[in-house]
Amino acid sequence: SKWPQTWYPLRRSEEVKPGQVLSIRALGDDYILVRSPQGKLAFLEGHCSHRGASLGDGGQFVGECIQCPFHGLQYGLDGRCTHVPGVGRIPKAAVLKSFPVEESMGMIWMFNGAKPTFPAPSMENCGVLSAVGSQGKLTTAYAFRNTRRCLMRDSICGSLDYMHGNLVHGLTSTLETLETPTPHELIVTLDVEYNDPGYLKHRKIFRMGNKVK
């Protein structure tokens, strides 16, 4: 795959209800994000292995399996075909590609690979909870209420750009440590003081990343 092996956010957890089959366009291909009637999540290839029918357009749950709307083939949450109408033997090729999924911070994440090489993003592995635990509950609605049309990498880089915060937003930030314990982790420890009570009002005049048509 030309896409990095990492975790990608798909939808808010609250957007995918039990028994729902949701069509997703991601990483240049068609997929389905599903939550079974029992509440289990799966992220699967979006077209039936038989004739390529779109599972996101008319696919539905029969028990804990997704049924193709074209010929009625059924797939388990692991992507394997469990039933072919009128056929006693299931072809070995009747398999949908599946991806690891996790729920964290009110979001559904998928890992672009057969097996995750590091944990899904969370408050705990970001080292946030111990620092803000006394300030009350952090909610998805707050964390994602200002959606910006930008590249994810630009958003991450902007968040770590503490010198920009000092110059534009009235902060006094000092870099204490910069650690890379694994190839997939970057731990930045900053000492930050908020000198300007109105610094947030300046945030919207800046736009990160490329325009999205």
PDB file of all heavy atoms in Angstrom, residues 68-81:
ATOM      1  N   CYS A  68     -24.712  -9.537   1.113  1.00  0.00           N
ATOM      2  CA  CYS A  68     -24.606  -8.795  -0.139  1.00  0.00           C
ATOM      3  C   CYS A  68     -25.986  -8.608  -0.746  1.00  0.00           C
ATOM      4  O   CYS A  68     -26.781  -9.559  -0.795  1.00  0.00           O
ATOM      5  CB  CYS A  68     -23.693  -9.551  -1.103  1.00  0.00           C
ATOM      6  SG  CYS A  68     -23.638  -8.830  -2.764  1.00  0.00           S
ATOM      7  N   PRO A  69     -26.308  -7.403  -1.249  1.00  0.00           N
ATOM      8  CA  PRO A  69     -27.642  -7.147  -1.789  1.00  0.00           C
ATOM      9  C   PRO A  69     -27.861  -7.749  -3.178  1.00  0.00           C
ATOM     10  O   PRO A  69     -28.997  -7.744  -3.671  1.00  0.00           O
ATOM     11  CB  PRO A  69     -27.700  -5.613  -1.846  1.00  0.00           C
ATOM     12  CG  PRO A  69     -26.282  -5.191  -2.048  1.00  0.00           C
ATOM     13  CD  PRO A  69     -25.466  -6.181  -1.260  1.00  0.00           C
ATOM     14  N   PHE A  70     -26.808  -8.273  -3.806  1.00  0.00           N
ATOM     15  CA  PHE A  70     -26.918  -8.730  -5.199  1.00  0.00           C
ATOM     16  C   PHE A  70     -27.274 -10.215  -5.300  1.00  0.00           C
ATOM     17  O   PHE A  70     -28.214 -10.602  -5.980  1.00  0.00           O
ATOM     18  CB  PHE A  70     -25.606  -8.443  -5.930  1.00  0.00           C
ATOM     19  CG  PHE A  70     -25.728  -8.455  -7.429  1.00  0.00           C
ATOM     20  CD1 PHE A  70     -26.723  -7.734  -8.074  1.00  0.00           C
ATOM     21  CD2 PHE A  70     -24.833  -9.174  -8.211  1.00  0.00           C
ATOM     22  CE1 PHE A  70     -26.830  -7.740  -9.460  1.00  0.00           C
ATOM     23  CE2 PHE A  70     -24.936  -9.181  -9.585  1.00  0.00           C
ATOM     24  CZ  PHE A  70     -25.936  -8.462 -10.210  1.00  0.00           C
ATOM     25  N   HIS A  71     -26.515 -11.079  -4.622  1.00  0.00           N
ATOM     26  CA  HIS A  71     -26.781 -12.511  -4.662  1.00  0.00           C
ATOM     27  C   HIS A  71     -26.978 -13.136  -3.280  1.00  0.00           C
ATOM     28  O   HIS A  71     -27.199 -14.337  -3.173  1.00  0.00           O
ATOM     29  CB  HIS A  71     -25.640 -13.258  -5.374  1.00  0.00           C
ATOM     30  CG  HIS A  71     -25.655 -13.097  -6.857  1.00  0.00           C
ATOM     31  ND1 HIS A  71     -24.672 -12.400  -7.531  1.00  0.00           N
ATOM     32  CD2 HIS A  71     -26.541 -13.511  -7.801  1.00  0.00           C
ATOM     33  CE1 HIS A  71     -24.935 -12.406  -8.831  1.00  0.00           C
ATOM     34  NE2 HIS A  71     -26.068 -13.076  -9.026  1.00  0.00           N
ATOM     35  N   GLY A  72     -26.852 -12.343  -2.226  1.00  0.00           N
ATOM     36  CA  GLY A  72     -27.136 -12.856  -0.898  1.00  0.00           C
ATOM     37  C   GLY A  72     -25.993 -13.541  -0.191  1.00  0.00           C
ATOM     38  O   GLY A  72     -26.212 -14.183   0.845  1.00  0.00           O
ATOM     39  N   LEU A  73     -24.745 -13.439  -0.704  1.00  0.00           N
ATOM     40  CA  LEU A  73     -23.604 -13.995   0.021  1.00  0.00           C
ATOM     41  C   LEU A  73     -23.498 -13.298   1.370  1.00  0.00           C
ATOM     42  O   LEU A  73     -23.754 -12.097   1.476  1.00  0.00           O
ATOM     43  CB  LEU A  73     -22.302 -13.822  -0.759  1.00  0.00           C
ATOM     44  CG  LEU A  73     -21.998 -14.856  -1.853  1.00  0.00           C
ATOM     45  CD1 LEU A  73     -22.875 -14.657  -3.076  1.00  0.00           C
ATOM     46  CD2 LEU A  73     -20.509 -14.797  -2.236  1.00  0.00           C
ATOM     47  N   GLN A  74     -23.107 -14.038   2.390  1.00  0.00           N
ATOM     48  CA  GLN A  74     -22.985 -13.474   3.725  1.00  0.00           C
ATOM     49  C   GLN A  74     -21.540 -13.567   4.206  1.00  0.00           C
ATOM     50  O   GLN A  74     -20.863 -14.570   3.966  1.00  0.00           O
ATOM     51  CB  GLN A  74     -23.918 -14.203   4.698  1.00  0.00           C
ATOM     52  CG  GLN A  74     -25.388 -14.012   4.364  1.00  0.00           C
ATOM     53  CD  GLN A  74     -26.303 -14.758   5.308  1.00  0.00           C
ATOM     54  OE1 GLN A  74     -25.886 -15.190   6.391  1.00  0.00           O
ATOM     55  NE2 GLN A  74     -27.558 -14.923   4.918  1.00  0.00           N
ATOM     56  N   TYR A  75     -21.093 -12.511   4.886  1.00  0.00           N
ATOM     57  CA  TYR A  75     -19.718 -12.424   5.372  1.00  0.00           C
ATOM     58  C   TYR A  75     -19.707 -12.158   6.870  1.00  0.00           C
ATOM     59  O   TYR A  75     -20.475 -11.332   7.377  1.00  0.00           O
ATOM     60  CB  TYR A  75     -18.966 -11.291   4.660  1.00  0.00           C
ATOM     61  CG  TYR A  75     -18.823 -11.488   3.173  1.00  0.00           C
ATOM     62  CD1 TYR A  75     -19.783 -10.993   2.288  1.00  0.00           C
ATOM     63  CD2 TYR A  75     -17.726 -12.174   2.642  1.00  0.00           C
ATOM     64  CE1 TYR A  75     -19.660 -11.168   0.920  1.00  0.00           C
ATOM     65  CE2 TYR A  75     -17.594 -12.351   1.268  1.00  0.00           C
ATOM     66  CZ  TYR A  75     -18.565 -11.847   0.418  1.00  0.00           C
ATOM     67  OH  TYR A  75     -18.436 -12.033  -0.943  1.00  0.00           O
ATOM     68  N   GLY A  76     -18.810 -12.856   7.568  1.00  0.00           N
ATOM     69  CA  GLY A  76     -18.608 -12.596   8.983  1.00  0.00           C
ATOM     70  C   GLY A  76     -17.810 -11.331   9.188  1.00  0.00           C
ATOM     71  O   GLY A  76     -17.275 -10.733   8.246  1.00  0.00           O
ATOM     72  N   LEU A  77     -17.680 -10.914  10.430  1.00  0.00           N
ATOM     73  CA  LEU A  77     -16.961  -9.683  10.740  1.00  0.00           C
ATOM     74  C   LEU A  77     -15.464  -9.797  10.477  1.00  0.00           C
ATOM     75  O   LEU A  77     -14.764  -8.784  10.428  1.00  0.00           O
ATOM     76  CB  LEU A  77     -17.213  -9.284  12.199  1.00  0.00           C
ATOM     77  CG  LEU A  77     -18.669  -8.994  12.559  1.00  0.00           C
ATOM     78  CD1 LEU A  77     -18.787  -8.629  14.022  1.00  0.00           C
ATOM     79  CD2 LEU A  77     -19.252  -7.889  11.678  1.00  0.00           C
ATOM     80  N   ASP A  78     -14.957 -11.022  10.301  1.00  0.00           N
ATOM     81  CA  ASP A  78     -13.554 -11.211   9.943  1.00  0.00           C
ATOM     82  C   ASP A  78     -13.335 -11.194   8.434  1.00  0.00           C
ATOM     83  O   ASP A  78     -12.211 -11.357   7.959  1.00  0.00           O
ATOM     84  CB  ASP A  78     -13.019 -12.522  10.526  1.00  0.00           C
ATOM     85  CG  ASP A  78     -13.778 -13.746  10.007  1.00  0.00           C
ATOM     86  OD1 ASP A  78     -14.749 -13.583   9.234  1.00  0.00           O
ATOM     87  OD2 ASP A  78     -13.388 -14.869  10.387  1.00  0.00           O
ATOM     88  N   GLY A  79     -14.427 -10.990   7.661  1.00  0.00           N
ATOM     89  CA  GLY A  79     -14.331 -10.915   6.208  1.00  0.00           C
ATOM     90  C   GLY A  79     -14.555 -12.229   5.487  1.00  0.00           C
ATOM     91  O   GLY A  79     -14.688 -12.245   4.256  1.00  0.00           O
ATOM     92  N   ARG A  80     -14.615 -13.328   6.199  1.00  0.00           N
ATOM     93  CA  ARG A  80     -14.788 -14.627   5.560  1.00  0.00           C
ATOM     94  C   ARG A  80     -16.255 -14.885   5.224  1.00  0.00           C
ATOM     95  O   ARG A  80     -17.139 -14.610   6.018  1.00  0.00           O
ATOM     96  CB  ARG A  80     -14.270 -15.739   6.480  1.00  0.00           C
ATOM     97  CG  ARG A  80     -12.780 -15.634   6.768  1.00  0.00           C
ATOM     98  CD  ARG A  80     -12.332 -16.755   7.697  1.00  0.00           C
ATOM     99  NE  ARG A  80     -10.912 -16.642   8.027  1.00  0.00           N
ATOM    100  CZ  ARG A  80     -10.267 -17.473   8.830  1.00  0.00           C
ATOM    101  NH1 ARG A  80     -10.923 -18.505   9.381  1.00  0.00           N
ATOM    102  NH2 ARG A  80      -8.987 -17.293   9.078  1.00  0.00           N
ATOM    103  N   CYS A  81     -16.480 -15.429   4.027  1.00  0.00           N
ATOM    104  CA  CYS A  81     -17.832 -15.763   3.604  1.00  0.00           C
ATOM    105  C   CYS A  81     -18.338 -16.942   4.432  1.00  0.00           C
ATOM    106  O   CYS A  81     -17.634 -17.950   4.606  1.00  0.00           O
ATOM    107  CB  CYS A  81     -17.849 -16.108   2.119  1.00  0.00           C
ATOM    108  SG  CYS A  81     -19.499 -16.456   1.478  1.00  0.00           S
TER     109      CYS A  81
END
